[in-house]
Coordinates of all heavy atoms in Angstrom, one line a residue:
M1 N 72.7 -99.5 221.1 CA 71.8 -100.2 221.9 C 72.3 -101.7 221.9 O 72.6 -102.2 220.9 CB 70.4 -100.1 221.4 CG 69.4 -100.8 222.3 SD 67.7 -100.7 221.5 CE 67.5 -98.9 221.2
S2 N 72.4 -102.2 223.1 CA 72.8 -103.6 223.1 C 72.5 -104.3 224.5 O 72.2 -103.6 225.5 CB 74.3 -103.7 222.9 OG 74.7 -105.1 222.9
I3 N 72.6 -105.6 224.5 CA 72.5 -106.3 225.8 C 73.9 -106.7 226.2 O 74.9 -106.7 225.4 CB 71.6 -107.6 225.6 CG1 72.2 -108.5 224.5 CG2 70.2 -107.2 225.3 CD1 71.7 -109.9 224.6
E4 N 74.0 -107.1 227.5 CA 75.2 -107.7 228.0 C 74.8 -109.0 228.7 O 73.8 -109.0 229.4 CB 75.8 -106.8 229.1 CG 76.4 -105.5 228.6 CD 77.0 -104.7 229.7 OE1 76.5 -104.8 230.8 OE2 78.0 -103.9 229.4
I5 N 75.6 -110.0 228.4 CA 75.3 -111.3 229.0 C 76.4 -111.6 230.0 O 77.6 -111.6 229.6 CB 75.3 -112.4 227.9 CG1 74.1 -112.1 226.9 CG2 75.0 -113.8 228.6 CD1 74.1 -113.0 225.7
T6 N 76.1 -111.9 231.2 CA 77.0 -112.3 232.2 C 77.2 -113.8 232.3 O 76.3 -114.5 232.8 CB 76.6 -111.8 233.6 OG1 76.4 -110.4 233.5 CG2 77.6 -112.1 234.7
A7 N 78.2 -114.3 231.7 CA 78.4 -115.8 231.5 C 78.3 -116.6 232.8 O 77.8 -117.7 232.8 CB 79.7 -116.0 230.7
V8 N 78.9 -116.0 233.8 CA 78.9 -116.8 235.1 C 77.5 -117.0 235.6 O 77.3 -118.0 236.4 CB 79.8 -116.2 236.1 CG1 81.3 -116.2 235.7 CG2 79.4 -114.8 236.5
K9 N 76.6 -116.2 235.3 CA 75.2 -116.4 235.8 C 74.4 -117.3 234.9 O 73.4 -117.9 235.3 CB 74.5 -115.0 235.8 CG 74.9 -114.1 236.9 CD 74.0 -112.8 236.9 CE 74.3 -111.8 238.0 NZ 73.5 -110.6 237.9
C10 N 74.8 -117.4 233.6 CA 74.0 -118.1 232.6 C 74.0 -119.6 232.9 O 75.0 -120.2 233.2 CB 74.6 -117.9 231.2 SG 73.8 -118.9 229.9
I11 N 72.8 -120.2 232.9 CA 72.6 -121.7 233.1 C 72.4 -122.4 231.8 O 72.0 -123.6 231.9 CB 71.5 -121.9 234.1 CG1 70.1 -121.4 233.6 CG2 71.8 -121.3 235.5 CD1 68.9 -121.7 234.5
G12 N 72.5 -121.7 230.7 CA 72.4 -122.4 229.4 C 71.0 -122.9 229.1 O 70.9 -123.9 228.3
C13 N 69.9 -122.3 229.6 CA 68.6 -122.8 229.3 C 68.1 -122.6 227.9 O 67.2 -123.3 227.4 CB 67.6 -122.2 230.3 SG 67.3 -120.4 230.0
G14 N 68.7 -121.6 227.2 CA 68.4 -121.4 225.8 C 67.1 -120.5 225.5 O 66.8 -120.3 224.4
R15 N 66.5 -120.1 226.6 CA 65.3 -119.3 226.4 C 65.5 -118.0 225.6 O 64.7 -117.6 224.8 CB 64.6 -119.0 227.8 CG 64.1 -120.1 228.5 CD 63.4 -119.7 229.8 NE 63.2 -120.7 230.7 CZ 62.6 -120.6 231.9 NH1 62.1 -119.4 232.2 NH2 62.5 -121.6 232.7
C16 N 66.6 -117.4 225.9 CA 66.9 -116.1 225.2 C 67.1 -116.4 223.7 O 66.6 -115.5 222.9 CB 68.1 -115.5 225.8 SG 69.6 -116.5 225.8
C17 N 67.7 -117.5 223.3 CA 67.8 -117.8 221.9 C 66.5 -118.0 221.2 O 66.3 -117.6 220.1 CB 68.6 -119.1 221.8 SG 70.1 -119.2 222.7
S18 N 65.5 -118.6 222.0 CA 64.2 -118.9 221.4 C 63.4 -117.6 221.2 O 62.6 -117.5 220.2 CB 63.4 -119.8 222.3 OG 64.1 -121.0 222.4
V19 N 63.5 -116.6 222.1 CA 62.7 -115.5 222.0 C 63.2 -114.3 221.1 O 62.5 -113.4 220.8 CB 62.3 -114.9 223.4 CG1 61.5 -116.0 224.1 CG2 63.5 -114.4 224.1
C20 N 64.5 -114.3 220.9 CA 65.1 -113.2 220.1 C 64.5 -113.2 218.7 O 64.7 -114.1 218.0 CB 66.6 -113.3 220.1 SG 67.3 -111.9 219.1
P21 N 63.8 -112.1 218.3 CA 63.2 -112.1 217.0 C 64.2 -112.0 215.9 O 63.9 -112.3 214.7 CB 62.3 -110.8 217.0 CG 62.9 -110.0 218.1 CD 63.5 -110.9 219.1
G22 N 65.5 -111.7 216.2 CA 66.5 -111.6 215.2 C 67.5 -112.8 215.2 O 68.5 -112.8 214.5
S23 N 67.2 -113.7 216.0 CA 68.1 -114.9 216.2 C 69.5 -114.5 216.4 O 70.4 -115.0 215.8 CB 68.0 -115.8 215.0 OG 66.7 -116.3 214.8
L24 N 69.7 -113.5 217.3 CA 71.0 -112.9 217.5 C 71.8 -113.6 218.6 O 73.0 -113.5 218.7 CB 70.8 -111.5 217.9 CG 70.2 -110.5 216.9 CD1 70.0 -109.1 217.5 CD2 71.0 -110.5 215.6
I25 N 71.1 -114.5 219.4 CA 71.8 -115.1 220.6 C 71.9 -116.6 220.3 O 71.0 -117.2 219.8 CB 71.0 -114.9 221.9 CG1 70.7 -113.4 222.1 CG2 71.8 -115.4 223.1 CD1 69.8 -113.1 223.2
R26 N 73.0 -117.1 220.6 CA 73.3 -118.6 220.5 C 73.9 -119.1 221.8 O 74.4 -118.3 222.6 CB 74.2 -118.8 219.3 CG 75.6 -118.2 219.6 CD 76.6 -118.4 218.5 NE 77.9 -117.9 218.9 CZ 78.9 -117.8 218.1 NH1 78.8 -118.1 216.8 NH2 80.1 -117.4 218.6
L27 N 73.9 -120.4 221.9 CA 74.6 -121.0 223.0 C 76.0 -121.3 222.5 O 76.2 -122.1 221.5 CB 73.9 -122.3 223.5 CG 72.6 -122.1 224.2 CD1 72.0 -123.4 224.7 CD2 72.7 -121.1 225.3
G28 N 77.0 -120.7 223.1 CA 78.4 -120.8 222.6 C 79.2 -121.7 223.5 O 78.8 -122.7 224.0
T29 N 80.4 -121.3 223.7 CA 81.4 -122.0 224.5 C 80.8 -122.4 225.9 O 80.3 -121.6 226.6 CB 82.7 -121.2 224.7 OG1 83.1 -120.7 223.4 CG2 83.8 -122.0 225.3
G30 N 80.9 -123.7 226.2 CA 80.5 -124.2 227.5 C 79.0 -124.1 227.7 O 78.5 -124.2 228.8
G31 N 78.2 -124.0 226.6 CA 76.8 -123.9 226.7 C 76.2 -122.6 227.2 O 75.1 -122.5 227.7
K32 N 77.0 -121.6 227.2 CA 76.6 -120.3 227.7 C 76.1 -119.4 226.5 O 76.6 -119.5 225.4 CB 77.8 -119.5 228.3 CG 78.5 -120.3 229.5 CD 77.7 -120.3 230.7 CE 78.4 -120.9 231.9 NZ 77.7 -120.8 233.2
A33 N 75.1 -118.6 226.8 CA 74.6 -117.7 225.8 C 75.6 -116.7 225.4 O 76.4 -116.2 226.2 CB 73.4 -116.9 226.4
D34 N 75.6 -116.4 224.1 CA 76.5 -115.5 223.5 C 75.8 -114.7 222.4 O 74.9 -115.2 221.7 CB 77.7 -116.3 222.9 CG 78.7 -115.4 222.3 OD1 79.0 -114.3 222.8 OD2 79.3 -115.8 221.2
I35 N 76.2 -113.4 222.2 CA 75.6 -112.6 221.1 C 76.8 -112.1 220.3 O 77.5 -111.1 220.6 CB 74.7 -111.4 221.7 CG1 74.2 -110.6 220.5 CG2 75.5 -110.6 222.7 CD1 73.1 -109.7 220.9
P36 N 77.1 -112.8 219.2 CA 78.3 -112.5 218.4 C 78.2 -111.1 217.8 O 79.3 -110.5 217.5 CB 78.2 -113.6 217.2 CG 77.3 -114.7 217.8 CD 76.3 -114.0 218.7
H37 N 77.0 -110.6 217.5 CA 76.9 -109.2 216.8 C 76.0 -108.4 217.7 O 74.9 -108.1 217.2 CB 76.4 -109.4 215.4 CG 77.4 -110.1 214.5 ND1 78.5 -109.5 214.0 CD2 77.3 -111.4 214.0 CE1 79.2 -110.4 213.3 NE2 78.5 -111.5 213.3
P38 N 76.5 -107.9 218.8 CA 75.6 -107.1 219.7 C 75.1 -105.8 219.0 O 74.1 -105.2 219.4 CB 76.5 -106.8 220.9 CG 77.9 -107.0 220.4 CD 77.8 -108.1 219.4
E39 N 75.8 -105.3 218.0 CA 75.4 -104.1 217.3 C 74.1 -104.3 216.5 O 73.5 -103.3 216.2 CB 76.6 -103.6 216.4 CG 76.8 -104.4 215.1 CD 77.5 -105.7 215.3 OE1 77.9 -106.1 216.4 OE2 77.8 -106.3 214.2
R40 N 73.7 -105.5 216.3 CA 72.5 -105.8 215.6 C 71.3 -105.8 216.5 O 70.1 -105.8 216.0 CB 72.6 -107.1 214.8 CG 73.6 -107.1 213.7 CD 73.7 -108.4 213.0 NE 74.8 -108.5 212.1 CZ 75.2 -109.5 211.4 NH1 74.7 -110.7 211.7 NH2 76.3 -109.5 210.6
C41 N 71.5 -105.8 217.8 CA 70.4 -105.8 218.7 C 69.6 -104.5 218.7 O 70.2 -103.4 218.7 CB 70.9 -106.0 220.1 SG 69.7 -105.7 221.5
W42 N 68.3 -104.6 218.6 CA 67.5 -103.3 218.5 C 66.7 -103.1 219.9 O 65.8 -102.3 219.9 CB 66.5 -103.3 217.3 CG 65.5 -104.4 217.3 CD1 64.2 -104.4 217.8 CD2 65.6 -105.7 216.6 NE1 63.6 -105.6 217.5 CE2 64.4 -106.4 216.8 CE3 66.7 -106.2 215.8 CZ2 64.2 -107.6 216.2 CZ3 66.4 -107.5 215.3 CH2 65.2 -108.2 215.5
G43 N 67.1 -103.8 220.9 CA 66.6 -103.5 222.2 C 65.2 -103.8 222.5 O 64.5 -103.1 223.3
C44 N 64.6 -104.9 222.0 CA 63.2 -105.2 222.3 C 63.0 -105.7 223.7 O 61.9 -105.7 224.2 CB 62.7 -106.3 221.3 SG 63.4 -107.9 221.6
A45 N 64.1 -106.1 224.4 CA 64.1 -106.6 225.8 C 63.4 -108.0 226.0 O 63.3 -108.4 227.1 CB 63.4 -105.6 226.7
S46 N 63.1 -108.7 224.9 CA 62.5 -110.0 225.1 C 63.4 -110.9 225.8 O 63.0 -111.6 226.7 CB 62.2 -110.6 223.7 OG 61.2 -109.8 223.1
C47 N 64.7 -110.9 225.5 CA 65.6 -111.8 226.1 C 65.8 -111.4 227.6 O 66.0 -112.3 228.5 CB 66.9 -111.9 225.4 SG 67.7 -110.3 225.3
V48 N 65.8 -110.1 227.8 CA 66.0 -109.6 229.2 C 64.9 -110.1 230.1 O 65.1 -110.5 231.3 CB 66.1 -108.1 229.2 CG1 66.3 -107.6 230.6 CG2 67.2 -107.6 228.3
K49 N 63.6 -110.1 229.6 CA 62.5 -110.5 230.3 C 62.4 -112.0 230.5 O 61.9 -112.5 231.5 CB 61.2 -110.1 229.6 CG 60.9 -108.6 229.7 CD 59.6 -108.2 229.2 CE 59.4 -108.3 227.7 NZ 58.1 -107.9 227.2
E50 N 63.0 -112.8 229.5 CA 62.9 -114.2 229.5 C 63.9 -114.9 230.4 O 63.6 -116.0 230.9 CB 63.0 -114.7 228.1 CG 62.5 -116.2 227.9 CD 61.0 -116.3 228.2 OE1 60.2 -115.3 228.0 OE2 60.6 -117.4 228.6
C51 N 65.1 -114.3 230.6 CA 66.1 -115.0 231.3 C 65.7 -115.2 232.8 O 65.4 -114.3 233.5 CB 67.4 -114.1 231.3 SG 68.8 -114.9 232.2
P52 N 65.8 -116.5 233.3 CA 65.3 -116.8 234.6 C 66.3 -116.4 235.7 O 65.9 -116.5 236.9 CB 65.1 -118.3 234.6 CG 66.1 -118.8 233.6 CD 66.2 -117.7 232.5
V53 N 67.5 -116.1 235.3 CA 68.5 -115.8 236.4 C 69.2 -114.4 236.2 O 70.2 -114.1 236.8 CB 69.6 -116.9 236.3 CG1 69.1 -118.2 236.7 CG2 70.2 -117.0 234.9
Q54 N 68.5 -113.5 235.5 CA 69.0 -112.2 235.3 C 70.4 -112.1 234.8 O 71.2 -111.3 235.2 CB 68.8 -111.3 236.6 CG 67.4 -111.1 237.0 CD 66.8 -112.2 237.8 OE1 67.4 -112.6 238.8 NE2 65.7 -112.8 237.4
A55 N 70.7 -113.0 233.8 CA 72.1 -113.0 233.3 C 72.2 -112.0 232.1 O 73.3 -111.7 231.7 CB 72.4 -114.4 232.8
I56 N 71.1 -111.5 231.7 CA 71.1 -110.5 230.6 C 70.6 -109.2 231.1 O 69.6 -109.0 231.7 CB 70.2 -111.0 229.4 CG1 70.5 -112.4 229.0 CG2 70.3 -110.1 228.2 CD1 69.6 -113.0 227.9
A57 N 71.4 -108.2 230.7 CA 71.1 -106.8 231.0 C 71.0 -106.0 229.8 O 71.8 -106.2 228.8 CB 72.1 -106.2 232.0
M58 N 70.2 -105.0 229.8 CA 70.1 -104.0 228.7 C 71.0 -102.8 229.1 O 70.8 -102.2 230.1 CB 68.7 -103.5 228.4 CG 68.5 -102.5 227.3 SD 68.6 -103.3 225.7 CE 67.1 -104.3 225.8
F59 N 71.9 -102.5 228.2 CA 72.8 -101.3 228.5 C 72.1 -100.1 228.1 O 71.6 -99.9 227.0 CB 74.1 -101.4 227.7 CG 75.0 -100.3 227.9 CD1 75.6 -100.1 229.1 CD2 75.3 -99.3 226.9 CE1 76.5 -99.0 229.3 CE2 76.1 -98.2 227.1 CZ 76.7 -98.1 228.3
L60 N 71.9 -99.1 229.0 CA 71.2 -97.9 228.8 C 72.2 -96.8 228.6 O 72.5 -96.0 229.5 CB 70.3 -97.6 230.1 CG 69.3 -98.7 230.4 CD1 68.6 -98.4 231.7 CD2 68.3 -98.9 229.3
G61 N 72.6 -96.7 227.3 CA 73.5 -95.6 227.0 C 72.7 -94.3 226.6 O 71.5 -94.3 226.8
K62 N 73.5 -93.4 226.1 CA 72.8 -92.1 225.7 C 71.7 -92.2 224.6 O 70.8 -91.5 224.6 CB 73.9 -91.1 225.3 CG 74.7 -90.6 226.4 CD 75.7 -89.5 225.9 CE 76.5 -89.0 227.1 NZ 77.5 -88.0 226.7
D63 N 71.9 -93.2 223.8 CA 70.9 -93.4 222.7 C 69.6 -93.9 223.3 O 68.5 -93.8 222.7 CB 71.4 -94.5 221.7 CG 71.7 -95.8 222.3 OD1 72.1 -95.9 223.5 OD2 71.6 -96.8 221.6
M64 N 69.6 -94.4 224.6 CA 68.4 -94.8 225.2 C 68.0 -93.8 226.3 O 67.1 -94.0 227.1 CB 68.6 -96.1 225.9 CG 68.8 -97.3 225.0 SD 67.3 -97.8 224.2 CE 66.6 -98.8 225.5
G65 N 68.6 -92.6 226.3 CA 68.3 -91.6 227.3 C 68.9 -92.0 228.7 O 68.5 -91.4 229.7
G66 N 69.8 -92.9 228.7 CA 70.4 -93.4 229.9 C 71.8 -92.8 230.2 O 72.3 -92.1 229.3
L67 N 72.3 -93.2 231.3 CA 73.6 -92.7 231.7 C 74.6 -93.8 231.9 O 75.6 -93.7 232.6 CB 73.5 -91.9 233.0 CG 72.6 -90.7 233.0 CD1 72.3 -90.2 234.4 CD2 73.1 -89.6 232.1
G68 N 74.4 -94.9 231.2 CA 75.3 -96.0 231.3 C 74.9 -97.1 232.3 O 75.7 -97.9 232.7
G69 N 73.6 -97.0 232.7 CA 73.1 -98.0 233.6 C 72.7 -99.3 232.9 O 72.9 -99.4 231.7
R70 N 72.3 -100.3 233.7 CA 71.8 -101.6 233.2 C 70.4 -101.9 233.7 O 70.1 -101.6 234.8 CB 72.8 -102.7 233.7 CG 74.0 -103.0 232.9 CD 75.1 -102.0 233.0 NE 76.2 -102.4 232.3 CZ 77.2 -101.5 231.9 NH1 77.0 -100.2 232.1 NH2 78.2 -101.9 231.2
L71 N 69.6 -102.4 232.7 CA 68.3 -102.8 233.0 C 68.2 -104.3 233.1 O 68.6 -105.0 232.2 CB 67.3 -102.2 231.9 CG 65.9 -102.7 231.9 CD1 65.1 -102.2 233.1 CD2 65.2 -102.4 230.7
T72 N 67.6 -104.8 234.2 CA 67.4 -106.2 234.3 C 65.9 -106.4 234.7 O 65.3 -105.5 235.2 CB 68.3 -106.9 235.3 OG1 68.2 -106.2 236.6 CG2 69.7 -106.9 234.9
V73 N 65.4 -107.6 234.5 CA 64.0 -107.9 234.8 C 64.0 -109.3 235.6 O 64.6 -110.2 235.2 CB 63.1 -108.1 233.5 CG1 61.7 -108.4 233.9 CG2 63.2 -106.8 232.7
R74 N 63.2 -109.3 236.7 CA 63.0 -110.5 237.4 C 61.5 -110.8 237.4 O 60.7 -110.0 237.7 CB 63.5 -110.3 238.9 CG 63.4 -111.6 239.7 CD 64.0 -111.4 241.1 NE 63.4 -110.4 241.9 CZ 62.3 -110.6 242.7 NH1 61.7 -111.8 242.7 NH2 61.8 -109.6 243.4
R75 N 61.2 -112.1 237.0 CA 59.8 -112.5 237.0 C 59.4 -113.1 238.4 O 60.2 -113.8 239.0 CB 59.6 -113.6 236.0 CG 59.5 -113.1 234.6 CD 59.2 -114.2 233.6 NE 59.2 -113.8 232.2 CZ 58.1 -113.4 231.6 NH1 57.0 -113.4 232.2 NH2 58.2 -113.0 230.3
E76 N 58.2 -112.9 238.8 CA 57.7 -113.5 240.0 C 56.2 -113.7 239.7 O 55.4 -112.8 239.8 CB 57.8 -112.5 241.2 CG 57.3 -113.1 242.5 CD 57.4 -112.1 243.6 OE1 57.5 -110.9 243.3 OE2 57.3 -112.5 244.7
N77 N 55.9 -115.0 239.2 CA 54.6 -115.3 238.7 C 54.2 -114.3 237.6 O 54.8 -114.3 236.6 CB 53.6 -115.3 239.9 CG 54.0 -116.3 240.9 OD1 54.3 -117.5 240.6 ND2 53.9 -116.0 242.2
T78 N 53.1 -113.6 237.8 CA 52.7 -112.6 236.7 C 53.4 -111.3 236.9 O 53.2 -110.4 236.0 CB 51.2 -112.4 236.8 OG1 50.8 -111.8 238.0 CG2 50.4 -113.7 236.6
L79 N 54.2 -111.1 237.9 CA 54.8 -109.8 238.1 C 56.2 -109.7 237.4 O 56.9 -110.7 237.4 CB 55.0 -109.5 239.6 CG 53.8 -109.5 240.5 CD1 54.1 -109.3 241.9 CD2 52.8 -108.5 240.0
L80 N 56.5 -108.6 236.8 CA 57.8 -108.3 236.3 C 58.4 -107.1 237.1 O 57.8 -106.0 237.1 CB 57.7 -107.9 234.8 CG 57.2 -109.0 233.8 CD1 57.0 -108.4 232.4 CD2 58.1 -110.1 233.8
H81 N 59.5 -107.4 237.7 CA 60.2 -106.4 238.4 C 61.4 -105.8 237.5 O 62.3 -106.5 237.3 CB 60.8 -107.0 239.7 CG 59.8 -107.6 240.6 ND1 58.9 -106.9 241.4 CD2 59.6 -109.0 240.8 CE1 58.1 -107.8 242.0 NE2 58.5 -109.0 241.7
W82 N 61.2 -104.6 237.1 CA 62.2 -104.0 236.2 C 63.1 -103.1 237.1 O 62.7 -102.2 237.7 CB 61.5 -103.1 235.2 CG 60.5 -103.7 234.3 CD1 59.3 -104.2 234.6 CD2 60.7 -104.0 232.9 NE1 58.7 -104.8 233.4 CE2 59.6 -104.7 232.4 CE3 61.8 -103.8 232.0 CZ2 59.5 -105.1 231.1 CZ3 61.7 -104.2 230.7 CH2 60.5 -104.9 230.2
T83 N 64.4 -103.4 237.0 CA 65.4 -102.7 237.8 C 66.4 -102.0 236.9 O 67.0 -102.7 236.1 CB 66.1 -103.6 238.8 OG1 65.1 -104.2 239.7 CG2 67.1 -102.9 239.6
V84 N 66.6 -100.7 237.2 CA 67.7 -100.0 236.6 C 68.8 -99.8 237.6 O 68.5 -99.2 238.7 CB 67.2 -98.6 236.0 CG1 68.4 -97.8 235.5 CG2 66.3 -98.9 234.8
T85 N 70.0 -100.3 237.3 CA 71.1 -100.1 238.2 C 72.1 -99.1 237.6 O 72.5 -99.3 236.4 CB 71.9 -101.4 238.5 OG1 70.9 -102.4 239.0 CG2 73.0 -101.2 239.4
N86 N 72.3 -98.0 238.3 CA 73.2 -96.9 237.7 C 74.6 -97.2 237.9 O 75.0 -98.1 238.8 CB 72.8 -95.6 238.4 CG 71.4 -95.2 238.1 OD1 70.9 -95.2 237.0 ND2 70.6 -94.9 239.2
P87 N 75.5 -96.5 237.2 CA 76.9 -96.8 237.3 C 77.4 -96.6 238.7 O 78.4 -97.2 239.1 CB 77.6 -95.8 236.4 CG 76.5 -95.5 235.3 CD 75.2 -95.6 236.1
D88 N 76.8 -95.7 239.5 CA 77.2 -95.5 240.9 C 76.7 -96.6 241.9 O 76.9 -96.5 243.1 CB 76.9 -94.1 241.4 CG 75.3 -93.9 241.5 OD1 74.6 -94.9 241.3 OD2 74.9 -92.8 241.8
G89 N 76.0 -97.6 241.3 CA 75.5 -98.6 242.2 C 74.1 -98.4 242.7 O 73.5 -99.4 243.2
S90 N 73.6 -97.2 242.6 CA 72.2 -97.0 243.0 C 71.2 -97.7 242.1 O 71.6 -97.9 240.9 CB 71.9 -95.5 243.1 OG 72.0 -94.9 241.8
A91 N 70.1 -98.0 242.6 CA 69.1 -98.8 241.7 C 67.7 -98.4 242.0 O 67.4 -97.9 243.1 CB 69.3 -100.3 242.0
K92 N 66.9 -98.5 241.0 CA 65.4 -98.3 241.2 C 64.6 -99.4 240.5 O 65.0 -99.8 239.4 CB 65.1 -96.9 240.6 CG 63.7 -96.5 240.8 CD 63.5 -95.0 240.5 CE 62.1 -94.5 241.1 NZ 62.0 -93.1 241.0
T93 N 63.6 -99.8 241.2 CA 62.8 -100.9 240.6 C 61.4 -100.5 240.5 O 60.8 -99.9 241.4 CB 62.9 -102.2 241.5 OG1 64.2 -102.6 241.6 CG2 62.0 -103.3 241.0
I94 N 60.7 -100.8 239.4 CA 59.3 -100.7 239.2 C 58.7 -102.1 238.9 O 59.4 -102.9 238.3 CB 58.9 -99.7 238.1 CG1 59.3 -100.2 236.8 CG2 59.3 -98.3 238.5 CD1 58.6 -99.4 235.6
T95 N 57.5 -102.3 239.4 CA 56.9 -103.6 239.2 C 55.6 -103.5 238.4 O 54.8 -102.6 238.7 CB 56.5 -104.3 240.6 OG1 57.8 -104.5 241.3 CG2 55.8 -105.6 240.4
V96 N 55.5 -104.3 237.4 CA 54.3 -104.3 236.5 C 53.7 -105.7 236.5 O 54.4 -106.7 236.4 CB 54.8 -103.9 235.1 CG1 53.6 -104.0 234.1 CG2 55.4 -102.6 235.0
D97 N 52.4 -105.7 236.7 CA 51.7 -107.0 236.6 C 51.3 -107.3 235.1 O 50.6 -106.5 234.5 CB 50.4 -107.0 237.5 CG 49.8 -108.4 237.6 OD1 49.9 -109.2 236.7 OD2 49.2 -108.6 238.7
S98 N 51.9 -108.4 234.6 CA 51.6 -108.6 233.2 C 50.2 -108.8 232.8 O 49.8 -108.7 231.7 CB 52.5 -109.8 232.7 OG 52.1 -111.0 233.5
R99 N 49.3 -109.1 233.8 CA 47.9 -109.2 233.5 C 47.3 -107.9 233.2 O 46.2 -107.8 232.6 CB 47.2 -109.8 234.7 CG 47.5 -111.3 235.0 CD 46.9 -111.8 236.3 NE 47.4 -111.0 237.4 CZ 47.2 -111.3 238.7 NH1 46.4 -112.3 239.0 NH2 47.7 -110.6 239.7
D100 N 48.0 -106.8 233.6 CA 47.4 -105.5 233.3 C 47.9 -104.9 232.0 O 47.5 -103.8 231.6 CB 47.9 -104.5 234.5 CG 47.3 -104.9 235.8 OD1 46.2 -105.6 235.8 OD2 47.9 -104.6 236.8
S101 N 48.8 -105.6 231.3 CA 49.3 -105.0 230.1 C 48.5 -105.6 228.9 O 47.8 -106.6 229.0 CB 50.8 -105.4 229.9 OG 51.0 -106.7 230.1
N102 N 48.7 -104.9 227.8 CA 48.0 -105.3 226.5 C 46.5 -105.4 226.6 O 45.9 -106.4 226.1 CB 48.6 -106.6 226.0 CG 50.1 -106.5 225.7 OD1 50.5 -105.5 225.2 ND2 50.8 -107.6 226.0
Q103 N 45.9 -104.5 227.3 CA 44.4 -104.6 227.5 C 43.7 -103.6 226.6 O 42.5 -103.3 226.8 CB 44.1 -104.3 229.0 CG 44.6 -105.4 229.9 CD 43.9 -105.5 231.2 OE1 42.9 -104.8 231.4 NE2 44.4 -106.4 232.0
Y104 N 44.4 -103.0 225.7 CA 43.8 -102.1 224.8 C 43.5 -102.7 223.4 O 44.0 -103.8 223.2 CB 44.6 -100.8 224.6 CG 46.0 -101.0 224.2 CD1 46.4 -101.1 222.9 CD2 47.0 -101.2 225.2 CE1 47.7 -101.4 222.6 CE2 48.3 -101.4 224.9 CZ 48.6 -101.5 223.6 OH 50.0 -101.7 223.3
Ligands
LIG201 S1 67.0 -107.3 223.2 FE1 65.7 -108.2 221.6 S2 66.8 -108.0 219.7 FE2 68.3 -107.6 221.3 S3 69.2 -109.6 221.7 FE3 67.5 -109.4 223.1 S4 65.8 -110.4 222.1 FE4 67.3 -110.0 220.6
LIG202 S1 67.9 -117.1 229.1 FE1 69.6 -116.5 230.6 S2 70.2 -118.4 231.6 FE2 69.0 -119.0 229.7 S3 70.6 -119.2 228.1 FE3 69.9 -117.1 228.0 S4 71.3 -115.9 229.3 FE4 71.6 -118.1 229.8

């Protein structure tokens, strides 16, 4: 389980570094986010949700029941748009209103 960071998209805001509970992400060369030990990531998706430019994707391998797709999240006010892009380029998005979560 791991994330992938697309350096050309990263704007160096540092939000992912702040939210990672394992302090696994740092700002590296050129002020871009970097994860030196991706094997330590346990897939909480906090950084994926926090990135404002969708520079971080969760790799959905077999250990996640996936087929090699990528999960990204786009925020729109209280809405979170979760998109899975498959290796063949097809994609599916579900939208969740964060006001509806954690109500139990
Ligand atoms: S998915 Fe969670 S554990 Fe993995 S790098 Fe992102 S914030 Fe850290
Ligand atoms: S949250 Fe996104 S844009 Fe900000 S430093 Fe991390 S990867 Fe780069």
Side-chain angles (χ1 to χ4, degrees):
M1 184 182 306
S2 182
I3 58 164
E4 290 180 332
I5 301 171
T6 302
V8 293
K9 289 185 178 178
C10 175
I11 58 173
C13 70
R15 293 187 198 179
C16 54
C17 311
S18 299
V19 299
C20 177
S23 301
L24 300 176
I25 309 174
R26 65 180 186 188
L27 292 184
T29 309
K32 304 283 188 175
D34 181 36
I35 179 165
H37 296 285
E39 75 280 5
R40 295 180 185 169
C41 168
W42 61 89
C44 73
S46 295
C47 59
V48 180
K49 288 189 288 184
E50 196 65 28
C51 181
V53 292
Q54 293 84 56
I56 307 178
M58 181 79 64
F59 179 69
L60 302 174
K62 287 185 178 177
D63 59 331
M64 294 283 284
L67 299 171
R70 270 78 174 156
L71 170 70
T72 54
V73 181
R74 182 173 64 85
R75 282 182 185 269
E76 182 185 17
N77 299 315
T78 63
L79 301 179
L80 294 174
H81 305 286
W82 299 75
T83 298
V84 173
T85 304
N86 297 309
D88 66 3
S90 63
K92 188 165 191 173
T93 298
I94 63 166
T95 297
V96 176
D97 192 326
S98 58
R99 293 173 300 186
D100 296 334
S101 53
N102 299 324
Q103 298 203 3
Y104 51 88

